[in-house]
Structures are given as structure tokens and as C-alpha cells.
Amino acid sequence: MDAVRGAIRGAIGDVLGEVPESATGFRPHVSVAYSASDGPAAPVEEALAAREFSPARARVSSAELIVIHRDNEMYEWETFATVPLG
């Protein structure tokens, strides 16, 4: 993931002259809960604490350039372009 992200960031820099996102702080993850409003975290924390999770593995066959926004108080995105990998 790091090598693919680095190559994509390099291409963005070549085209735009700068990369609008920080080079650090990227952490691939799978979200298990998301909330767009305030509320107690305890129920979600308790449900997750009762489980044992192992690291996830995924085969990444393409990279997508997306247009993302939060106009409706939640993340929404559309694919702008897709590039096959491998």
C-alpha cells in the first residue's frame, strides 16, 4: 500500500505541482462504526471489546481517484478515474 500510495502521490505532484494531502498520517483501515452526530461511544466500544480481531488482508487490483465531500453530513464520494494495478 505504501509503494502504491507513494507512486500515486508522485503522479499527482507531477500534474498539479503539489500534493494537497499530507504525506504522513495515512493508515489503511477498515471502519466498523461511524457516526455523524454526538452520542455515547460506550455501546460500540463494548461490542468491539467482546471480539478478537486479526489483521485484515486485501488484494488491491485498482486505484481510484475520487471526488469526496460531506455535503449531507456524511462522507460521500464518486469515482472520477480508475487505474488497474498489477
Side-chain angles (χ1 to χ4, degrees):
M1 292 296 297
D2 289 334
V4 171
R5 183 171 186 262
I8 291 170
R9 287 180 57 76
I12 291 169
D14 289 346
V15 171
L16 299 180
E18 67 175 315
V19 181
E21 178 185 277
S22 173
T24 60
F26 175 69
R27 188 169 165 213
H29 66 282
V30 175
S31 295
V32 295
Y34 179 82
S35 176
S37 63
D38 292 338
V44 175
E45 291 171 347
E46 290 169 8
L48 295 175
R51 304 287 314 258
E52 186 172 318
F53 297 98
S54 58
R57 295 182 63 118
R59 180 179 300 258
V60 178
S61 58
S62 64
E64 295 182 344
L65 176 61
I66 62 172
V67 178
I68 191 168
H69 62 83
R70 288 191 49 152
D71 296 341
N72 297 310
E73 298 184 7
M74 64 182 173
Y75 287 110
E76 296 177 305
W77 61 88
E78 296 175 45
T79 300
F80 183 81
T82 301
V83 177
L85 303 173

